[in-house]
Amino acid sequence: MNFCRFCTTAGVRSSIKRLAAAPYKLCYLDSDKCNKSYCNSESRSFCNLGLLSRLKTNDSKYPLTADTFNSLNPKKQEKFPLFFQQIRQHTNLGAISADEKANIFQRPKAQSTIDEEEVSKFSGLSALWWDEGGEFEALHSLNELRIPLIRDALVSKKNLDQYDPASPLQGFWILDVGSGGGILSEPLARLGASVIGLEASEETIKIAQAHLIHDVQIRDSVKYIKSTVEDIALTQEGKFDAVVASEVLEHVSDAQTFVTAACKLVRPGGSIFFTTLNKTQLAYALGIVAAENILHLVTPGTHDWEKFVPPTVLQHMLDKNNFATRLIHGMWYNPLSKRWSWTKDTSINYALHAVKPSTGEEGDVWKERKP
Amino acid sequence: MALRTTFTSKYLKLITRRFIFNELSKKAFFSASTSKNSDGEYADVVISGGGMVGAAMACALANNKVLKNKRIILLEVGRDTGDYVLPEKYSNRTCALSPSTVRLLSSFGAWQEIEAMRCHSVSRMQVWESCADSMITFNNQDMSESLAYIVENDVILAAIMRSLKRMSDKVEVRYKTRATAFSNIDGKDPSEVKLPYVGLTLNDGTVLKAKLLIGADGMNSVVRKEAGFHTIKRDYGQSAVVATLILGDTTSNDTAWQRFLPTGPIALLPMSNTLSSLVWTTTPENAKHLLQIPDDSFVDAVNDALWHEREKNALAGQVLDFFKNVFHTIFPGSESSRQLPPTVMNIEEGSRASFPLSLIHSSQYVKPRVALIGDAGHRLHPLAGQGVNLGFGDVQCLNEILTKSVQNGADLGSLTHLLEYETERQRHNVPVMLTIDALQRLYSTDVTPLVMLRSLGLHTVHSIPLLKVQMHIIINTL
């Protein structure tokens, strides 16, 4: 059995529940020790248990803050003195700020909080991102294609008894690369997935958070992190059920490094999704000249044709990472109806789905695991 | 007792929620979110108006498995009337429910409730007019299936409310509640920053933050007004007189009768083997007169309206006879016999009432995070008895669209999906409204050429089976 020790200590469970709501939720990125069968049955925030399990192995690389435990119910502290004593021993790093910790331990810094002042400051900008008829209209309506694509590909890995129509992606961990304002992250979270949004710009993260905060149901299942795929791949190898890089690849300077890093993050049996622009004359004419300069669907200068990646090249890059490409579909945007539709022709926009082969012991059946 | 238990459990739930909440805020996790939380409750869908259509919407959403994790609130101005006791006396307000409405109501068990109370099936419909001999009848092949069901409004509402009470764990019904102020709603202040919810301040001071606000608050919709929907209004200059009629000498009362008079149509809808509901559209002066005269004079007036022949147009009659012969040669056997309407013996005491008629149509049904359903979006002439069916059609459609949007992980208030609802419903509602409006205009005249044209048209549809089947399908899908 691979229970973390605190899961097995019955009396402590309730205090752990309290802890679970603690501000270092992001620590789940580091936990994989706890046996899922117990943690699964409770709220997702139990993933902190995995973190606690590291105390046992004396792994000081992943610290806890002393303040958190001190703020707990004193009666509980009396009741389980050993537990708290042990925790205090390992929480002497509490004085170090989040930024410093991120530097010391080279962990992606969690942008987990946003204060009230920032909410009002960024609300205006987030309204721009989220105006379905505004600047990002095409991205909003692209959800009608990419969400079903991701949903159906992932759900097909579940057993019938694991499937819940109200939250089909329950239990899946998805990394949304280039999450921007959260246009893709939020719908995925609404389908039940736990989503980590990677975004390079801190301001954009704040914008995304200013919107997310109003959605009580999903605000705890989406986390935006300021980092890059290459950085996060150093610590989070093989942790995600799916990595999604939607409308990102065409902005990346070194596609090969990007794809390799993204592939590394996918766990065996997991999926990787791309949507991007093909490198064709037609893509230049429609994707850049028409979309940017004539129709003004996108801000001029958004795209650089030189960076576009043809599907065959992308497939080759995935092959080198031992990924099997399952599907390449063309996508067509109708500027009059402002809706996307699937098409056979991949010469402008296309979507690609590839899977990492599952290792022998994994089997083909999907099991929930926390990264 | 049962009521008390549910009340206590609700209260307990509230307390626990509060408690957990306070615990969280004490620790100041997610500082901003918790403080935001304290000045408003979040809800996924708020339905304003608990009439037939609004309550049916709540039932349909509560019954939707895909929406099981969503918080749905129904606001109703009236108080909770408790369980409905079926009165001996029939009400004078009735609806003709179409088969598709019956399907919708069956899906959440309300139709079964109606059947357990009372309803009357219509298997045949005859439409004719006072100026010519043309007529049209509709019935299903062997008269076994119903064209429509006549149900009292009170019974429909009571049945839906019973279904809703069974699903009280999924829908929160707030009685004696209405929204007094709206914020973040489109059409108010364009410079206002759009937050991702509609804010509603209720009359008890609570603030709701809804992802989607459904306006089901009737023809004088507050939601429609507050959200600045553009509406088209047309006053027909007509009033409808309703009453419950007692019929004589009928064996089975299963035909709906409608006769067009130049002043407006008079319709008899069967409610039981001896009772029919009257909907008589006429001039406001005549309506006033009809309400004042004694019962026996009123019965005479109804019988006269159904039977009199004094407005017959001789020329139109001759032309029609000629055409009938021609048609009979081309499509032999297409002639079906004319049935005679029943004779009205008496009326239920005090069942007479009248109300003015108008057409209201909102040019749009949706705005970001707001959708209109039922009379809030469209109210039409009661001529075809289609008003409430269009409303239930809205419920069905919006439920499907919201299912789709949830399956795509979209925000419930997402305009992209709501627009689909608008397109689909307007494509359906507008032709129905225009047809009914045109019919109303066409039949409100006794000018010879128009009388001739309309009677020929009606006879053509009646005589050509293919056309009639088409018409039938259209009527059935309404």
Side-chain angles (χ1 to χ4, degrees):
Chain A
M1 295 298 275
N2 198 19
F3 283 133
C4 61
R5 59 177 300 195
F6 297 106
C7 280
T8 53
T9 324
V12 184
R13 281 178 192 168
S14 61
S15 30
I16 289 175
K17 267 187 201 166
R18 298 280 188 78
L19 279 177
Y24 50 85
K25 275 196 163 172
L26 267 170
C27 299
Y28 51 60
L29 272 179
D30 309 310
S31 60
D32 58 351
K33 289 273 164 61
C34 184
N35 187 294
K36 69 170 194 68
S37 64
Y38 176 73
C39 294
N40 237 1
S41 60
E42 299 291 339
S43 76
R44 198 198 67 256
S45 28
F46 261 87
C47 43
N48 285 310
L49 293 174
L51 183 93
L52 292 179
S53 72
R54 290 177 196 279
L55 296 175
K56 197 171 106 185
T57 55
N58 223 352
D59 188 352
S60 58
K61 199 178 163 195
Y62 302 99
L64 296 167
T65 59
D67 316 4
T68 324
F69 298 98
N70 292 335
S71 66
L72 281 171
N73 191 337
K75 274 187 191 162
K76 283 269 157 52
Q77 300 205 21
E78 277 169 32
K79 212 169 167 188
F80 306 106
L82 265 173
F83 170 59
F84 285 95
Q85 194 191 342
Q86 202 162 15
I87 285 175
R88 274 196 208 92
Q89 279 175 10
H90 292 91
T91 51
N92 46 4
L93 288 154
I96 301 177
S97 79
D99 292 66
E100 286 166 318
K101 254 190 265 178
N103 281 335
I104 295 169
F105 301 107
Q106 297 193 330
R107 274 182 49 210
K109 189 185 132 199
Q111 311 285 318
S112 61
T113 51
I114 176 168
D115 61 40
E116 198 143 354
E117 200 182 312
E118 285 177 321
V119 168
S120 51
K121 183 180 157 196
F122 288 103
S123 283
L125 287 167
S126 95
L128 288 182
W129 267 90
W130 285 91
D131 177 6
E132 285 172 66
E135 203 178 328
F136 298 99
E137 187 174 17
L139 274 184
H140 280 285
S141 62
L142 184 57
N143 276 354
E144 287 185 272
L145 296 194
R146 55 187 177 174
I147 298 283
L149 173 76
I150 296 166
R151 181 194 64 202
D152 296 346
L154 293 183
V155 159
S156 65
K157 291 177 191 166
K158 277 193 175 184
N159 286 336
L160 200 58
D161 55 330
Q162 291 172 320
Y163 177 70
D164 172 9
S167 57
L169 295 185
Q170 188 69 48
F172 284 107
W173 285 79
I174 300 176
L175 182 72
D176 178 13
V177 182
S179 53
I183 295 174
L184 182 63
S185 305
E186 287 194 18
L188 288 175
R190 261 187 219 107
L191 292 176
S194 305
V195 182
I196 309 289
L198 274 194
E199 174 57 48
S201 145
E202 198 156 332
E203 198 194 348
T204 314
I205 286 180
K206 298 277 185 205
I207 289 170
Q209 281 170 334
H211 187 266
L212 178 69
I213 214 148
H214 293 292
D215 204 324
V216 263
Q217 273 164 350
I218 58 166
R219 67 179 171 205
D220 295 344
S221 29
V222 182
K223 283 288 172 283
Y224 296 113
I225 295 172
K226 179 178 179 291
S227 182
T228 61
V229 182
E230 290 83 354
D231 284 350
I232 203 170
L234 297 175
T235 54
Q236 308 303 323
E237 190 175 338
K239 298 288 171 72
F240 293 95
D241 292 293
V243 172
V244 184
S246 185
E247 306 303 298
V248 172
L249 200 59
E250 66 269 28
H251 303 284
V252 171
S253 46
D254 182 358
Q256 178 67 67
T257 323
F258 176 86
V259 169
T260 308
C263 287
K264 221 170 132 187
L265 287 161
V266 180
R267 74 175 176 84
S271 292
I272 192 161
F273 299 91
F274 291 94
T275 73
T276 186
L277 285 150
N278 198 344
K279 197 172 188 172
T280 59
Q281 311 267 333
L282 196 61
Y284 182 78
L286 294 176
I288 298 183
V289 179
E292 289 184 7
N293 303 328
I294 301 170
L295 297 169
H296 300 289
L297 295 172
V298 226
T299 323
T302 305
H303 292 123
D304 175 5
W305 189 77
E306 291 299 326
K307 288 182 181 173
F308 290 2
V309 184
T312 43
V313 174
L314 179 57
Q315 197 179 347
H316 180 64
M317 289 175 188
L318 288 164
D319 284 347
K320 277 199 273 185
N321 286 289
N322 219 359
F323 268 64
T325 304
R326 280 281 167 87
L327 161 158
I328 301 176
H329 260 327
M331 299 188 295
W332 164 251
Y333 183 71
N334 181 340
L336 292 178
S337 69
K338 301 190 172 175
R339 293 289 174 96
W340 289 87
S341 52
W342 293 115
T343 155
K344 274 184 185 172
D345 182 17
T346 55
S347 59
I348 310 162
N349 292 81
Y350 68 93
L352 184 145
H353 171 212
V355 289
K356 193 173 199 166
S358 50
T359 48
E361 74 224 48
E362 302 275 333
D364 283 338
V365 184
W366 173 81
K367 282 186 207 130
E368 182 177 356
R369 275 186 316 173
K370 281 146 186 141
Chain B
M1 189 62 205
L3 201 78
R4 171 167 286 184
T5 353
T6 46
F7 176 71
T8 343
S9 66
K10 247 186 197 166
Y11 193 54
L12 267 176
K13 222 186 264 172
L14 209 92
I15 292 177
T16 21
R17 204 181 287 160
R18 263 279 152 76
F19 175 72
I20 293 170
F21 193 57
N22 286 349
E23 284 293 300
L24 280 170
S25 26
K26 256 182 229 156
K27 294 187 185 131
F29 306 140
F30 292 104
S31 54
S33 61
T34 42
S35 62
K36 280 271 165 199
N37 234 348
S38 61
D39 52 41
E41 291 175 52
Y42 284 96
D44 290 295
V45 183
V46 172
I47 303 166
S48 169
M52 286 189 273
V53 173
M57 188 79 237
C59 280
L61 295 180
N63 199 39
N64 192 335
K65 280 203 185 77
V66 175
L67 295 169
K68 70 175 181 193
N69 300 331
K70 307 287 178 200
R71 185 163 182 225
I72 302 157
I73 299 177
L74 176 69
L75 307 179
E76 167 57 29
V77 185
R79 62 193 176 84
D80 185 359
T81 47
D83 201 29
Y84 177 75
V85 183
L86 190 67
E88 192 83 7
K89 208 169 154 187
Y90 280 75
S91 149
N92 58 5
R93 299 304 308 273
T94 56
C95 287
L97 301 184
S98 69
S100 56
T101 299
V102 171
R103 276 196 294 281
L104 171 75
L105 295 179
S106 308
S107 70
F108 47 79
W111 179 248
Q112 289 78 346
E113 297 278 356
I114 291 178
E115 280 186 316
M117 286 188 270
R118 64 188 172 208
C119 61
H120 196 78
S121 131
V122 179
S123 46
R124 187 171 175 278
M125 196 165 108
Q126 180 169 314
V127 180
W128 77 112
E129 63 161 310
S130 64
C131 298
D133 268 338
S134 64
M135 63 143 199
I136 187 163
T137 59
F138 298 102
N139 56 259
N140 281 352
Q141 218 109 77
D142 48 358
M143 303 267 284
S144 60
E145 256 177 87
S146 294
L147 285 177
Y149 289 87
I150 311 298
V151 193
E152 293 149 86
N153 292 10
D154 294 347
V155 172
I156 302 175
L157 185 59
I160 297 174
M161 287 319 265
R162 275 187 197 170
S163 310
L164 197 55
K165 281 202 177 117
R166 275 203 305 272
M167 299 187 272
S168 55
D169 53 327
K170 289 174 192 142
V171 183
E172 207 179 311
V173 186
R174 298 198 182 176
Y175 293 99
K176 292 193 199 163
T177 310
R178 67 195 164 81
T180 50
F182 297 83
S183 64
N184 258 319
I185 200 164
D186 206 50
K188 281 208 130 178
D189 180 9
S191 62
E192 187 186 37
V193 170
K194 292 280 175 293
L195 295 172
Y197 56 81
V198 171
L200 297 106
T201 313
L202 306 182
N203 50 350
D204 60 0
T206 38
V207 176
L208 287 180
K209 294 174 170 184
K211 296 239 196 79
L212 173 64
L213 170 64
I214 300 179
D217 43 357
M219 59 183 288
N220 298 317
S221 169
V222 178
V223 173
R224 186 182 66 211
K225 203 173 123 241
E226 286 286 331
F229 281 94
H230 174 259
T231 50
I232 300 158
K233 280 188 190 163
R234 188 164 104 83
D235 193 354
Y236 284 113
Q238 285 181 319
S239 288
V241 177
V242 293
T244 311
L245 306 176
I246 302 168
L247 310 178
D249 62 37
T250 47
T251 44
S252 66
N253 185 19
D254 57 2
T255 307
W257 308 90
Q258 175 145 316
R259 189 182 200 202
F260 284 99
L261 309 174
T263 47
I266 177 170
L268 258 61
L269 307 171
M271 294 167 85
S272 79
N273 279 340
T274 52
L275 297 176
S276 273
S277 170
L278 170 80
V279 186
W280 188 351
T281 311
T282 184
T283 57
E285 301 78 44
N286 193 27
K288 214 169 153 192
H289 169 72
L290 287 171
L291 286 192
Q292 282 161 357
I293 55 176
D295 281 359
D296 49 351
S297 317
F298 183 77
V299 170
D300 290 343
V302 173
N303 281 326
D304 179 64
L306 289 172
W307 289 90
H308 79 79
E309 304 246 305
R310 62 178 169 274
E311 282 156 354
K312 274 267 164 68
N313 185 312
L315 182 61
Q318 279 166 12
V319 176
L320 183 65
D321 279 341
F322 172 72
F323 263 86
K324 268 184 182 169
N325 286 333
V326 174
F327 266 114
H328 194 68
T329 348
I330 307 172
F331 305 101
S334 64
E335 197 78 358
S336 77
S337 62
R338 152 167 300 198
Q339 287 192 3
L340 296 176
T343 315
V344 179
M345 301 299 284
N346 206 347
I347 68 163
E348 288 255 11
E349 225 180 293
S351 68
R352 269 184 281 171
S354 114
F355 49 90
L357 298 179
S358 56
L359 177 143
I360 298 173
H361 188 252
S362 178
S363 311
Q364 294 162 309
Y365 294 171
V366 300
K367 291 213 167 187
R369 302 191 178 279
V370 186
L372 300 179
I373 58 172
D375 281 1
H378 45 79
R379 181 184 165 77
L380 40 87
H381 198 282
L383 184 141
Q386 287 307 331
V388 80
N389 290 321
L390 291 187
F392 285 123
D394 291 348
V395 170
Q396 172 84 29
C397 176
L398 189 55
N399 185 31
E400 280 165 18
I401 298 286
L402 290 181
T403 307
K404 193 180 150 198
S405 94
V406 169
Q407 282 171 339
N408 278 354
D411 189 321
L412 281 170
S414 151
L415 189 63
T416 319
H417 289 90
L418 290 181
L419 279 173
E420 269 176 54
Y421 158 73
E422 180 182 274
T423 313
E424 196 170 311
R425 284 319 284 170
Q426 292 210 337
R427 231 174 244 168
H428 184 99
N429 294 352
V430 172
V432 172
M433 294 184 73
L434 290 180
T435 313
I436 288 172
D437 196 47
L439 274 178
Q440 194 271 330
R441 284 165 195 250
L442 183 63
Y443 277 97
S444 60
T445 175
D446 51 6
V447 181
T448 308
L450 280 177
V451 171
M452 208 146 51
L453 272 176
R454 76 194 183 199
S455 57
L456 291 182
L458 199 63
H459 187 77
T460 314
V461 175
H462 180 61
S463 306
I464 300 178
L466 193 67
L467 270 181
K468 202 168 150 183
V469 167
Q470 284 299 322
M471 186 92 165
H472 195 167
I473 290 168
I474 293 168
I475 286 184
N476 261 342
T477 52
L478 282 176

